[in-house]
Amino acid sequence: MPPVPYAGTRSRLGWAMTGSGHFFEESLEEIRRLPDVDLFVSKAAAEVIRMYKSRLPEGMRIYRDTTAAAAPVGLFYEAVYHTLVIAPATSNTVAKLVYGISDTLVTNVFAQAGKCRVPIIVFACDTAPELETKAPGGIVKVWPRRIDLENVELLKGFEDTAVVESMAGLVAAIDARMRCRGTSSS
Ligand SMILES: Cc1cc2nc3c(=O)[nH]c(=O)nc-3n(C[C@H](O)[C@H](O)[C@H](O)COP(=O)(O)O)c2cc1C
């Protein structure tokens, strides 16, 4: 087995992206601003990024959802990450997180971060009864269902998990984690 890079250092930020058009581009911008990020990309996120004609950041370690056992989760056992961010988080992934389902790369990194007591920040996108979101063709209105809103509320009750509902909230939560570690993010 090759050695795990950065094992034991808790020096890196793990960032998981799901297939949400809502705040996808803005999340990518924030990732580019930050030092020492490893990216975990759901299958849907890899498709959505192409639909928006966007690109993943270069020069970054990117883990894709290609194995059933979500092999990269081993990095969480090796104390590589100080924080896990999931942004943007689809209603699909939020539902799985809330019910303890770990059958994708992103739901697995959430579960393993939780079990390894790595602080987690989730940017849930379906947070209001009525939202404007960016589809590939432009802005559209959507009405998240009661189950979507309830799941976000349930996720707020999880240990070591901060749920944010806006880009400003996401940036503030990440900055707070960076300050806590004595690392500047700007
Ligand atoms: C262009 C596009 C935009 C999407 N935007 C959203 C979104 O804003 N919120 C959401 O919950 N799902 C959205 N979806 C649907 C998810 O990609 C889909 O539920 C997928 O199965 C989620 O998988 P994941 O949670 O593993 O990433 C979008 C799909 C497409 C094709």
Side-chain angles (χ1 to χ4, degrees), residues 17-22 42-45 48 51-52 65 89-93 96 104 106 125-126 133-136:
M17 300 193 84
T18 66
S20 161
H22 206 55
S42 82
K43 283 182 187 162
V48 164
M51 290 179 202
Y52 287 92
D65 198 352
T90 57
S91 50
N92 172 59
T93 285
K96 288 183 178 183
T104 64
V106 174
C125 296
D126 284 347
T133 190
K134 198 170 148 207

mmCIF file with all atom_site columns, all heavy atoms in Angstrom, residues 17-22 42-45 48 51-52 65 89-93 96 104 106 125-126 133-136, ligand 1:
data_model
loop_
_atom_site.group_PDB
_atom_site.id
_atom_site.type_symbol
_atom_site.label_atom_id
_atom_site.label_alt_id
_atom_site.label_comp_id
_atom_site.label_asym_id
_atom_site.label_entity_id
_atom_site.label_seq_id
_atom_site.pdbx_PDB_ins_code
_atom_site.Cartn_x
_atom_site.Cartn_y
_atom_site.Cartn_z
_atom_site.occupancy
_atom_site.B_iso_or_equiv
_atom_site.pdbx_formal_charge
_atom_site.auth_seq_id
_atom_site.auth_comp_id
_atom_site.auth_asym_id
_atom_site.auth_atom_id
_atom_site.pdbx_PDB_model_num
ATOM   1   N N   . MET A 1 17  ? -18.286 18.007 -3.455  1.00 0.00 ? 17  MET A N   1
ATOM   2   C CA  . MET A 1 17  ? -19.281 18.691 -4.291  1.00 0.00 ? 17  MET A CA  1
ATOM   3   C C   . MET A 1 17  ? -20.315 17.689 -4.777  1.00 0.00 ? 17  MET A C   1
ATOM   4   O O   . MET A 1 17  ? -19.960 16.585 -5.212  1.00 0.00 ? 17  MET A O   1
ATOM   5   C CB  . MET A 1 17  ? -18.608 19.317 -5.522  1.00 0.00 ? 17  MET A CB  1
ATOM   6   C CG  . MET A 1 17  ? -17.556 20.336 -5.167  1.00 0.00 ? 17  MET A CG  1
ATOM   7   S SD  . MET A 1 17  ? -17.075 21.298 -6.615  1.00 0.00 ? 17  MET A SD  1
ATOM   8   C CE  . MET A 1 17  ? -18.347 22.555 -6.644  1.00 0.00 ? 17  MET A CE  1
ATOM   9   N N   . THR A 1 18  ? -21.597 18.071 -4.739  1.00 0.00 ? 18  THR A N   1
ATOM   10  C CA  . THR A 1 18  ? -22.651 17.214 -5.284  1.00 0.00 ? 18  THR A CA  1
ATOM   11  C C   . THR A 1 18  ? -23.271 17.886 -6.518  1.00 0.00 ? 18  THR A C   1
ATOM   12  O O   . THR A 1 18  ? -22.900 19.002 -6.866  1.00 0.00 ? 18  THR A O   1
ATOM   13  C CB  . THR A 1 18  ? -23.734 16.939 -4.214  1.00 0.00 ? 18  THR A CB  1
ATOM   14  O OG1 . THR A 1 18  ? -24.391 18.169 -3.915  1.00 0.00 ? 18  THR A OG1 1
ATOM   15  C CG2 . THR A 1 18  ? -23.137 16.343 -2.954  1.00 0.00 ? 18  THR A CG2 1
ATOM   16  N N   . GLY A 1 19  ? -24.224 17.205 -7.123  1.00 0.00 ? 19  GLY A N   1
ATOM   17  C CA  . GLY A 1 19  ? -24.735 17.652 -8.426  1.00 0.00 ? 19  GLY A CA  1
ATOM   18  C C   . GLY A 1 19  ? -25.823 18.699 -8.346  1.00 0.00 ? 19  GLY A C   1
ATOM   19  O O   . GLY A 1 19  ? -26.887 18.537 -8.930  1.00 0.00 ? 19  GLY A O   1
ATOM   20  N N   . SER A 1 20  ? -25.540 19.777 -7.631  1.00 0.00 ? 20  SER A N   1
ATOM   21  C CA  . SER A 1 20  ? -26.503 20.871 -7.510  1.00 0.00 ? 20  SER A CA  1
ATOM   22  C C   . SER A 1 20  ? -26.053 22.055 -8.348  1.00 0.00 ? 20  SER A C   1
ATOM   23  O O   . SER A 1 20  ? -24.934 22.550 -8.165  1.00 0.00 ? 20  SER A O   1
ATOM   24  C CB  . SER A 1 20  ? -26.593 21.283 -6.031  1.00 0.00 ? 20  SER A CB  1
ATOM   25  O OG  . SER A 1 20  ? -27.141 22.580 -5.933  1.00 0.00 ? 20  SER A OG  1
ATOM   26  N N   . GLY A 1 21  ? -26.939 22.528 -9.234  1.00 0.00 ? 21  GLY A N   1
ATOM   27  C CA  . GLY A 1 21  ? -26.601 23.728 -10.000 1.00 0.00 ? 21  GLY A CA  1
ATOM   28  C C   . GLY A 1 21  ? -26.611 24.952 -9.105  1.00 0.00 ? 21  GLY A C   1
ATOM   29  O O   . GLY A 1 21  ? -25.896 25.922 -9.345  1.00 0.00 ? 21  GLY A O   1
ATOM   30  N N   . HIS A 1 22  ? -27.432 24.882 -8.043  1.00 0.00 ? 22  HIS A N   1
ATOM   31  C CA  . HIS A 1 22  ? -27.572 25.989 -7.096  1.00 0.00 ? 22  HIS A CA  1
ATOM   32  C C   . HIS A 1 22  ? -26.230 26.206 -6.395  1.00 0.00 ? 22  HIS A C   1
ATOM   33  O O   . HIS A 1 22  ? -25.756 25.332 -5.676  1.00 0.00 ? 22  HIS A O   1
ATOM   34  C CB  . HIS A 1 22  ? -28.652 25.581 -6.085  1.00 0.00 ? 22  HIS A CB  1
ATOM   35  C CG  . HIS A 1 22  ? -29.355 26.723 -5.443  1.00 0.00 ? 22  HIS A CG  1
ATOM   36  N ND1 . HIS A 1 22  ? -29.984 27.706 -6.154  1.00 0.00 ? 22  HIS A ND1 1
ATOM   37  C CD2 . HIS A 1 22  ? -29.548 27.019 -4.137  1.00 0.00 ? 22  HIS A CD2 1
ATOM   38  C CE1 . HIS A 1 22  ? -30.541 28.566 -5.320  1.00 0.00 ? 22  HIS A CE1 1
ATOM   39  N NE2 . HIS A 1 22  ? -30.276 28.172 -4.084  1.00 0.00 ? 22  HIS A NE2 1
ATOM   40  N N   . SER A 1 42  ? -19.041 14.061 -6.555  1.00 0.00 ? 42  SER A N   1
ATOM   41  C CA  . SER A 1 42  ? -20.050 13.012 -6.815  1.00 0.00 ? 42  SER A CA  1
ATOM   42  C C   . SER A 1 42  ? -20.188 12.803 -8.325  1.00 0.00 ? 42  SER A C   1
ATOM   43  O O   . SER A 1 42  ? -19.814 13.668 -9.127  1.00 0.00 ? 42  SER A O   1
ATOM   44  C CB  . SER A 1 42  ? -21.407 13.402 -6.188  1.00 0.00 ? 42  SER A CB  1
ATOM   45  O OG  . SER A 1 42  ? -22.121 14.289 -7.023  1.00 0.00 ? 42  SER A OG  1
ATOM   46  N N   . LYS A 1 43  ? -20.765 11.662 -8.692  1.00 0.00 ? 43  LYS A N   1
ATOM   47  C CA  . LYS A 1 43  ? -20.958 11.382 -10.134 1.00 0.00 ? 43  LYS A CA  1
ATOM   48  C C   . LYS A 1 43  ? -21.817 12.473 -10.758 1.00 0.00 ? 43  LYS A C   1
ATOM   49  O O   . LYS A 1 43  ? -21.553 12.944 -11.864 1.00 0.00 ? 43  LYS A O   1
ATOM   50  C CB  . LYS A 1 43  ? -21.649 10.029 -10.316 1.00 0.00 ? 43  LYS A CB  1
ATOM   51  C CG  . LYS A 1 43  ? -20.725 8.865  -10.118 1.00 0.00 ? 43  LYS A CG  1
ATOM   52  C CD  . LYS A 1 43  ? -21.463 7.558  -10.349 1.00 0.00 ? 43  LYS A CD  1
ATOM   53  C CE  . LYS A 1 43  ? -20.571 6.408  -9.971  1.00 0.00 ? 43  LYS A CE  1
ATOM   54  N NZ  . LYS A 1 43  ? -21.288 5.151  -9.764  1.00 0.00 ? 43  LYS A NZ  1
ATOM   55  N N   . ALA A 1 44  ? -22.886 12.880 -10.041 1.00 0.00 ? 44  ALA A N   1
ATOM   56  C CA  . ALA A 1 44  ? -23.775 13.914 -10.579 1.00 0.00 ? 44  ALA A CA  1
ATOM   57  C C   . ALA A 1 44  ? -23.036 15.253 -10.697 1.00 0.00 ? 44  ALA A C   1
ATOM   58  O O   . ALA A 1 44  ? -23.238 15.988 -11.665 1.00 0.00 ? 44  ALA A O   1
ATOM   59  C CB  . ALA A 1 44  ? -25.004 14.058 -9.690  1.00 0.00 ? 44  ALA A CB  1
ATOM   60  N N   . ALA A 1 45  ? -22.177 15.557 -9.733  1.00 0.00 ? 45  ALA A N   1
ATOM   61  C CA  . ALA A 1 45  ? -21.429 16.832 -9.803  1.00 0.00 ? 45  ALA A CA  1
ATOM   62  C C   . ALA A 1 45  ? -20.539 16.849 -11.038 1.00 0.00 ? 45  ALA A C   1
ATOM   63  O O   . ALA A 1 45  ? -20.416 17.872 -11.722 1.00 0.00 ? 45  ALA A O   1
ATOM   64  C CB  . ALA A 1 45  ? -20.599 17.021 -8.535  1.00 0.00 ? 45  ALA A CB  1
ATOM   65  N N   . VAL A 1 48  ? -22.878 17.671 -13.864 1.00 0.00 ? 48  VAL A N   1
ATOM   66  C CA  . VAL A 1 48  ? -23.422 19.032 -13.803 1.00 0.00 ? 48  VAL A CA  1
ATOM   67  C C   . VAL A 1 48  ? -22.363 20.057 -14.224 1.00 0.00 ? 48  VAL A C   1
ATOM   68  O O   . VAL A 1 48  ? -22.659 21.010 -14.939 1.00 0.00 ? 48  VAL A O   1
ATOM   69  C CB  . VAL A 1 48  ? -23.967 19.322 -12.383 1.00 0.00 ? 48  VAL A CB  1
ATOM   70  C CG1 . VAL A 1 48  ? -24.184 20.809 -12.141 1.00 0.00 ? 48  VAL A CG1 1
ATOM   71  C CG2 . VAL A 1 48  ? -25.286 18.568 -12.175 1.00 0.00 ? 48  VAL A CG2 1
ATOM   72  N N   . MET A 1 51  ? -22.417 20.410 -17.821 1.00 0.00 ? 51  MET A N   1
ATOM   73  C CA  . MET A 1 51  ? -23.620 21.092 -18.328 1.00 0.00 ? 51  MET A CA  1
ATOM   74  C C   . MET A 1 51  ? -23.507 22.605 -18.184 1.00 0.00 ? 51  MET A C   1
ATOM   75  O O   . MET A 1 51  ? -24.056 23.353 -18.988 1.00 0.00 ? 51  MET A O   1
ATOM   76  C CB  . MET A 1 51  ? -24.858 20.605 -17.577 1.00 0.00 ? 51  MET A CB  1
ATOM   77  C CG  . MET A 1 51  ? -25.223 19.180 -17.900 1.00 0.00 ? 51  MET A CG  1
ATOM   78  S SD  . MET A 1 51  ? -26.666 18.696 -16.946 1.00 0.00 ? 51  MET A SD  1
ATOM   79  C CE  . MET A 1 51  ? -26.486 16.937 -16.967 1.00 0.00 ? 51  MET A CE  1
ATOM   80  N N   . TYR A 1 52  ? -22.835 23.050 -17.121 1.00 0.00 ? 52  TYR A N   1
ATOM   81  C CA  . TYR A 1 52  ? -22.673 24.501 -16.925 1.00 0.00 ? 52  TYR A CA  1
ATOM   82  C C   . TYR A 1 52  ? -21.425 25.027 -17.648 1.00 0.00 ? 52  TYR A C   1
ATOM   83  O O   . TYR A 1 52  ? -21.060 26.174 -17.464 1.00 0.00 ? 52  TYR A O   1
ATOM   84  C CB  . TYR A 1 52  ? -22.593 24.830 -15.429 1.00 0.00 ? 52  TYR A CB  1
ATOM   85  C CG  . TYR A 1 52  ? -23.928 24.706 -14.735 1.00 0.00 ? 52  TYR A CG  1
ATOM   86  C CD1 . TYR A 1 52  ? -24.311 23.514 -14.143 1.00 0.00 ? 52  TYR A CD1 1
ATOM   87  C CD2 . TYR A 1 52  ? -24.816 25.772 -14.703 1.00 0.00 ? 52  TYR A CD2 1
ATOM   88  C CE1 . TYR A 1 52  ? -25.542 23.380 -13.514 1.00 0.00 ? 52  TYR A CE1 1
ATOM   89  C CE2 . TYR A 1 52  ? -26.051 25.660 -14.081 1.00 0.00 ? 52  TYR A CE2 1
ATOM   90  C CZ  . TYR A 1 52  ? -26.403 24.455 -13.494 1.00 0.00 ? 52  TYR A CZ  1
ATOM   91  O OH  . TYR A 1 52  ? -27.618 24.329 -12.889 1.00 0.00 ? 52  TYR A OH  1
ATOM   92  N N   . ASP A 1 65  ? -15.994 9.610  -7.860  1.00 0.00 ? 65  ASP A N   1
ATOM   93  C CA  . ASP A 1 65  ? -16.809 8.522  -7.304  1.00 0.00 ? 65  ASP A CA  1
ATOM   94  C C   . ASP A 1 65  ? -16.752 7.310  -8.223  1.00 0.00 ? 65  ASP A C   1
ATOM   95  O O   . ASP A 1 65  ? -17.658 7.081  -9.017  1.00 0.00 ? 65  ASP A O   1
ATOM   96  C CB  . ASP A 1 65  ? -18.249 9.033  -7.152  1.00 0.00 ? 65  ASP A CB  1
ATOM   97  C CG  . ASP A 1 65  ? -19.045 8.158  -6.214  1.00 0.00 ? 65  ASP A CG  1
ATOM   98  O OD1 . ASP A 1 65  ? -18.534 7.090  -5.809  1.00 0.00 ? 65  ASP A OD1 1
ATOM   99  O OD2 . ASP A 1 65  ? -20.177 8.528  -5.884  1.00 0.00 ? 65  ASP A OD2 1
ATOM   100 N N   . ALA A 1 89  ? -24.755 21.091 -1.478  1.00 0.00 ? 89  ALA A N   1
ATOM   101 C CA  . ALA A 1 89  ? -25.309 19.775 -1.136  1.00 0.00 ? 89  ALA A CA  1
ATOM   102 C C   . ALA A 1 89  ? -26.717 19.652 -1.715  1.00 0.00 ? 89  ALA A C   1
ATOM   103 O O   . ALA A 1 89  ? -27.601 20.446 -1.383  1.00 0.00 ? 89  ALA A O   1
ATOM   104 C CB  . ALA A 1 89  ? -25.346 19.597 0.374   1.00 0.00 ? 89  ALA A CB  1
ATOM   105 N N   . THR A 1 90  ? -26.923 18.675 -2.585  1.00 0.00 ? 90  THR A N   1
ATOM   106 C CA  . THR A 1 90  ? -28.260 18.446 -3.169  1.00 0.00 ? 90  THR A CA  1
ATOM   107 C C   . THR A 1 90  ? -29.237 17.964 -2.102  1.00 0.00 ? 90  THR A C   1
ATOM   108 O O   . THR A 1 90  ? -28.838 17.427 -1.057  1.00 0.00 ? 90  THR A O   1
ATOM   109 C CB  . THR A 1 90  ? -28.197 17.339 -4.241  1.00 0.00 ? 90  THR A CB  1
ATOM   110 O OG1 . THR A 1 90  ? -27.673 16.165 -3.627  1.00 0.00 ? 90  THR A OG1 1
ATOM   111 C CG2 . THR A 1 90  ? -27.372 17.729 -5.435  1.00 0.00 ? 90  THR A CG2 1
ATOM   112 N N   . SER A 1 91  ? -30.522 18.054 -2.425  1.00 0.00 ? 91  SER A N   1
ATOM   113 C CA  . SER A 1 91  ? -31.528 17.502 -1.505  1.00 0.00 ? 91  SER A CA  1
ATOM   114 C C   . SER A 1 91  ? -31.371 15.982 -1.414  1.00 0.00 ? 91  SER A C   1
ATOM   115 O O   . SER A 1 91  ? -31.616 15.385 -0.364  1.00 0.00 ? 91  SER A O   1
ATOM   116 C CB  . SER A 1 91  ? -32.936 17.880 -1.945  1.00 0.00 ? 91  SER A CB  1
ATOM   117 O OG  . SER A 1 91  ? -33.123 17.578 -3.301  1.00 0.00 ? 91  SER A OG  1
ATOM   118 N N   . ASN A 1 92  ? -30.908 15.359 -2.496  1.00 0.00 ? 92  ASN A N   1
ATOM   119 C CA  . ASN A 1 92  ? -30.658 13.914 -2.493  1.00 0.00 ? 92  ASN A CA  1
ATOM   120 C C   . ASN A 1 92  ? -29.586 13.544 -1.461  1.00 0.00 ? 92  ASN A C   1
ATOM   121 O O   . ASN A 1 92  ? -29.789 12.672 -0.614  1.00 0.00 ? 92  ASN A O   1
ATOM   122 C CB  . ASN A 1 92  ? -30.201 13.494 -3.898  1.00 0.00 ? 92  ASN A CB  1
ATOM   123 C CG  . ASN A 1 92  ? -29.729 12.065 -3.954  1.00 0.00 ? 92  ASN A CG  1
ATOM   124 O OD1 . ASN A 1 92  ? -30.476 11.154 -3.648  1.00 0.00 ? 92  ASN A OD1 1
ATOM   125 N ND2 . ASN A 1 92  ? -28.466 11.862 -4.337  1.00 0.00 ? 92  ASN A ND2 1
ATOM   126 N N   . THR A 1 93  ? -28.455 14.242 -1.522  1.00 0.00 ? 93  THR A N   1
ATOM   127 C CA  . THR A 1 93  ? -27.368 13.926 -0.585  1.00 0.00 ? 93  THR A CA  1
ATOM   128 C C   . THR A 1 93  ? -27.770 14.282 0.845   1.00 0.00 ? 93  THR A C   1
ATOM   129 O O   . THR A 1 93  ? -27.502 13.506 1.772   1.00 0.00 ? 93  THR A O   1
ATOM   130 C CB  . THR A 1 93  ? -26.069 14.648 -1.013  1.00 0.00 ? 93  THR A CB  1
ATOM   131 O OG1 . THR A 1 93  ? -25.539 13.959 -2.155  1.00 0.00 ? 93  THR A OG1 1
ATOM   132 C CG2 . THR A 1 93  ? -25.022 14.629 0.078   1.00 0.00 ? 93  THR A CG2 1
ATOM   133 N N   . LYS A 1 96  ? -29.810 11.515 2.256   1.00 0.00 ? 96  LYS A N   1
ATOM   134 C CA  . LYS A 1 96  ? -28.993 10.336 2.600   1.00 0.00 ? 96  LYS A CA  1
ATOM   135 C C   . LYS A 1 96  ? -28.190 10.578 3.875   1.00 0.00 ? 96  LYS A C   1
ATOM   136 O O   . LYS A 1 96  ? -28.060 9.691  4.723   1.00 0.00 ? 96  LYS A O   1
ATOM   137 C CB  . LYS A 1 96  ? -28.052 10.001 1.444   1.00 0.00 ? 96  LYS A CB  1
ATOM   138 C CG  . LYS A 1 96  ? -28.761 9.406  0.244   1.00 0.00 ? 96  LYS A CG  1
ATOM   139 C CD  . LYS A 1 96  ? -27.763 9.041  -0.824  1.00 0.00 ? 96  LYS A CD  1
ATOM   140 C CE  . LYS A 1 96  ? -28.439 8.408  -2.024  1.00 0.00 ? 96  LYS A CE  1
ATOM   141 N NZ  . LYS A 1 96  ? -27.464 7.986  -3.047  1.00 0.00 ? 96  LYS A NZ  1
ATOM   142 N N   . THR A 1 104 ? -22.414 6.611  -1.649  1.00 0.00 ? 104 THR A N   1
ATOM   143 C CA  . THR A 1 104 ? -21.705 7.379  -2.680  1.00 0.00 ? 104 THR A CA  1
ATOM   144 C C   . THR A 1 104 ? -20.428 7.905  -2.031  1.00 0.00 ? 104 THR A C   1
ATOM   145 O O   . THR A 1 104 ? -20.276 7.844  -0.804  1.00 0.00 ? 104 THR A O   1
ATOM   146 C CB  . THR A 1 104 ? -22.528 8.597  -3.156  1.00 0.00 ? 104 THR A CB  1
ATOM   147 O OG1 . THR A 1 104 ? -22.695 9.489  -2.038  1.00 0.00 ? 104 THR A OG1 1
ATOM   148 C CG2 . THR A 1 104 ? -23.887 8.201  -3.704  1.00 0.00 ? 104 THR A CG2 1
ATOM   149 N N   . VAL A 1 106 ? -19.560 11.009 -1.635  1.00 0.00 ? 106 VAL A N   1
ATOM   150 C CA  . VAL A 1 106 ? -19.824 12.156 -0.757  1.00 0.00 ? 106 VAL A CA  1
ATOM   151 C C   . VAL A 1 106 ? -20.503 11.716 0.544   1.00 0.00 ? 106 VAL A C   1
ATOM   152 O O   . VAL A 1 106 ? -20.129 12.170 1.631   1.00 0.00 ? 106 VAL A O   1
ATOM   153 C CB  . VAL A 1 106 ? -20.666 13.220 -1.502  1.00 0.00 ? 106 VAL A CB  1
ATOM   154 C CG1 . VAL A 1 106 ? -21.072 14.339 -0.554  1.00 0.00 ? 106 VAL A CG1 1
ATOM   155 C CG2 . VAL A 1 106 ? -19.870 13.798 -2.682  1.00 0.00 ? 106 VAL A CG2 1
ATOM   156 N N   . CYS A 1 125 ? -28.788 23.386 -0.074  1.00 0.00 ? 125 CYS A N   1
ATOM   157 C CA  . CYS A 1 125 ? -29.335 24.352 -1.044  1.00 0.00 ? 125 CYS A CA  1
ATOM   158 C C   . CYS A 1 125 ? -30.835 24.536 -0.946  1.00 0.00 ? 125 CYS A C   1
ATOM   159 O O   . CYS A 1 125 ? -31.339 25.625 -1.185  1.00 0.00 ? 125 CYS A O   1
ATOM   160 C CB  . CYS A 1 125 ? -28.949 23.928 -2.448  1.00 0.00 ? 125 CYS A CB  1
ATOM   161 S SG  . CYS A 1 125 ? -27.178 24.012 -2.615  1.00 0.00 ? 125 CYS A SG  1
ATOM   162 N N   . ASP A 1 126 ? -31.558 23.468 -0.578  1.00 0.00 ? 126 ASP A N   1
ATOM   163 C CA  . ASP A 1 126 ? -33.020 23.588 -0.496  1.00 0.00 ? 126 ASP A CA  1
ATOM   164 C C   . ASP A 1 126 ? -33.400 24.049 0.894   1.00 0.00 ? 126 ASP A C   1
ATOM   165 O O   . ASP A 1 126 ? -33.758 23.251 1.764   1.00 0.00 ? 126 ASP A O   1
ATOM   166 C CB  . ASP A 1 126 ? -33.674 22.237 -0.799  1.00 0.00 ? 126 ASP A CB  1
ATOM   167 C CG  . ASP A 1 126 ? -33.640 21.934 -2.279  1.00 0.00 ? 126 ASP A CG  1
ATOM   168 O OD1 . ASP A 1 126 ? -33.356 22.855 -3.074  1.00 0.00 ? 126 ASP A OD1 1
ATOM   169 O OD2 . ASP A 1 126 ? -33.901 20.774 -2.641  1.00 0.00 ? 126 ASP A OD2 1
ATOM   170 N N   . THR A 1 133 ? -32.976 29.525 -8.773  1.00 0.00 ? 133 THR A N   1
ATOM   171 C CA  . THR A 1 133 ? -31.765 28.739 -8.953  1.00 0.00 ? 133 THR A CA  1
ATOM   172 C C   . THR A 1 133 ? -31.294 28.848 -10.396 1.00 0.00 ? 133 THR A C   1
ATOM   173 O O   . THR A 1 133 ? -32.070 29.175 -11.295 1.00 0.00 ? 133 THR A O   1
ATOM   174 C CB  . THR A 1 133 ? -32.014 27.263 -8.550  1.00 0.00 ? 133 THR A CB  1
ATOM   175 O OG1 . THR A 1 133 ? -30.768 26.581 -8.525  1.00 0.00 ? 133 THR A OG1 1
ATOM   176 C CG2 . THR A 1 133 ? -32.957 26.562 -9.502  1.00 0.00 ? 133 THR A CG2 1
ATOM   177 N N   . LYS A 1 134 ? -29.996 28.544 -10.570 1.00 0.00 ? 134 LYS A N   1
ATOM   178 C CA  . LYS A 1 134 ? -29.421 28.704 -11.907 1.00 0.00 ? 134 LYS A CA  1
ATOM   179 C C   . LYS A 1 134 ? -29.431 27.367 -12.640 1.00 0.00 ? 134 LYS A C   1
ATOM   180 O O   . LYS A 1 134 ? -28.690 26.451 -12.284 1.00 0.00 ? 134 LYS A O   1
ATOM   181 C CB  . LYS A 1 134 ? -27.988 29.226 -11.759 1.00 0.00 ? 134 LYS A CB  1
ATOM   182 C CG  . LYS A 1 134 ? -27.445 29.819 -13.025 1.00 0.00 ? 134 LYS A CG  1
ATOM   183 C CD  . LYS A 1 134 ? -26.142 30.533 -12.738 1.00 0.00 ? 134 LYS A CD  1
ATOM   184 C CE  . LYS A 1 134 ? -25.236 30.441 -13.935 1.00 0.00 ? 134 LYS A CE  1
ATOM   185 N NZ  . LYS A 1 134 ? -23.842 30.514 -13.599 1.00 0.00 ? 134 LYS A NZ  1
ATOM   186 N N   . ALA A 1 135 ? -30.282 27.246 -13.636 1.00 0.00 ? 135 ALA A N   1
ATOM   187 C CA  . ALA A 1 135 ? -30.275 26.075 -14.521 1.00 0.00 ? 135 ALA A CA  1
ATOM   188 C C   . ALA A 1 135 ? -29.296 26.382 -15.653 1.00 0.00 ? 135 ALA A C   1
ATOM   189 O O   . ALA A 1 135 ? -28.914 27.544 -15.841 1.00 0.00 ? 135 ALA A O   1
ATOM   190 C CB  . ALA A 1 135 ? -31.677 25.842 -15.067 1.00 0.00 ? 135 ALA A CB  1
ATOM   191 N N   . PRO A 1 136 ? -28.880 25.344 -16.415 1.00 0.00 ? 136 PRO A N   1
ATOM   192 C CA  . PRO A 1 136 ? -27.930 25.626 -17.504 1.00 0.00 ? 136 PRO A CA  1
ATOM   193 C C   . PRO A 1 136 ? -28.447 26.698 -18.458 1.00 0.00 ? 136 PRO A C   1
ATOM   194 O O   . PRO A 1 136 ? -27.681 27.468 -19.019 1.00 0.00 ? 136 PRO A O   1
ATOM   195 C CB  . PRO A 1 136 ? -27.779 24.271 -18.194 1.00 0.00 ? 136 PRO A CB  1
ATOM   196 C CG  . PRO A 1 136 ? -28.081 23.276 -17.132 1.00 0.00 ? 136 PRO A CG  1
ATOM   197 C CD  . PRO A 1 136 ? -29.133 23.905 -16.264 1.00 0.00 ? 136 PRO A CD  1
HETATM 198 C C1  . LIG B 2 .   ? -28.348 20.916 -14.395 1.00 0.00 ? 1   LIG B C1  1
HETATM 199 C C2  . LIG B 2 .   ? -28.776 20.272 -13.117 1.00 0.00 ? 1   LIG B C2  1
HETATM 200 C C3  . LIG B 2 .   ? -28.907 21.029 -11.971 1.00 0.00 ? 1   LIG B C3  1
HETATM 201 C C4  . LIG B 2 .   ? -29.317 20.435 -10.777 1.00 0.00 ? 1   LIG B C4  1
HETATM 202 N N1  . LIG B 2 .   ? -29.478 21.220 -9.669  1.00 0.00 ? 1   LIG B N1  1
HETATM 203 C C5  . LIG B 2 .   ? -29.912 20.673 -8.519  1.00 0.00 ? 1   LIG B C5  1
HETATM 204 C C6  . LIG B 2 .   ? -30.096 21.500 -7.365  1.00 0.00 ? 1   LIG B C6  1
HETATM 205 O O1  . LIG B 2 .   ? -29.898 22.727 -7.392  1.00 0.00 ? 1   LIG B O1  1
HETATM 206 N N2  . LIG B 2 .   ? -30.505 20.912 -6.219  1.00 0.00 ? 1   LIG B N2  1
HETATM 207 C C7  . LIG B 2 .   ? -30.727 19.565 -6.132  1.00 0.00 ? 1   LIG B C7  1
HETATM 208 O O2  . LIG B 2 .   ? -31.066 19.093 -5.054  1.00 0.00 ? 1   LIG B O2  1
HETATM 209 N N3  . LIG B 2 .   ? -30.546 18.736 -7.221  1.00 0.00 ? 1   LIG B N3  1
HETATM 210 C C8  . LIG B 2 .   ? -30.162 19.263 -8.395  1.00 0.00 ? 1   LIG B C8  1
HETATM 211 N N4  . LIG B 2 .   ? -29.991 18.467 -9.509  1.00 0.00 ? 1   LIG B N4  1
HETATM 212 C C9  . LIG B 2 .   ? -30.325 17.026 -9.410  1.00 0.00 ? 1   LIG B C9  1
HETATM 213 C C10 . LIG B 2 .   ? -29.152 16.206 -8.847  1.00 0.00 ? 1   LIG B C10 1
HETATM 214 O O3  . LIG B 2 .   ? -28.000 16.315 -9.666  1.00 0.00 ? 1   LIG B O3  1
HETATM 215 C C11 . LIG B 2 .   ? -29.595 14.734 -8.720  1.00 0.00 ? 1   LIG B C11 1
HETATM 216 O O4  . LIG B 2 .   ? -30.566 14.626 -7.689  1.00 0.00 ? 1   LIG B O4  1
HETATM 217 C C12 . LIG B 2 .   ? -28.448 13.780 -8.428  1.00 0.00 ? 1   LIG B C12 1
HETATM 218 O O5  . LIG B 2 .   ? -28.948 12.450 -8.349  1.00 0.00 ? 1   LIG B O5  1
HETATM 219 C C13 . LIG B 2 .   ? -27.747 14.131 -7.135  1.00 0.00 ? 1   LIG B C13 1
HETATM 220 O O6  . LIG B 2 .   ? -26.709 13.217 -6.859  1.00 0.00 ? 1   LIG B O6  1
HETATM 221 P P1  . LIG B 2 .   ? -25.639 13.542 -5.716  1.00 0.00 ? 1   LIG B P1  1
HETATM 222 O O7  . LIG B 2 .   ? -26.434 14.027 -4.521  1.00 0.00 ? 1   LIG B O7  1
HETATM 223 O O8  . LIG B 2 .   ? -24.965 12.230 -5.462  1.00 0.00 ? 1   LIG B O8  1
HETATM 224 O O9  . LIG B 2 .   ? -24.667 14.541 -6.255  1.00 0.00 ? 1   LIG B O9  1
HETATM 225 C C14 . LIG B 2 .   ? -29.581 19.044 -10.722 1.00 0.00 ? 1   LIG B C14 1
HETATM 226 C C15 . LIG B 2 .   ? -29.430 18.290 -11.882 1.00 0.00 ? 1   LIG B C15 1
HETATM 227 C C16 . LIG B 2 .   ? -29.037 18.890 -13.067 1.00 0.00 ? 1   LIG B C16 1
HETATM 228 C C17 . LIG B 2 .   ? -28.921 18.035 -14.304 1.00 0.00 ? 1   LIG B C17 1
#
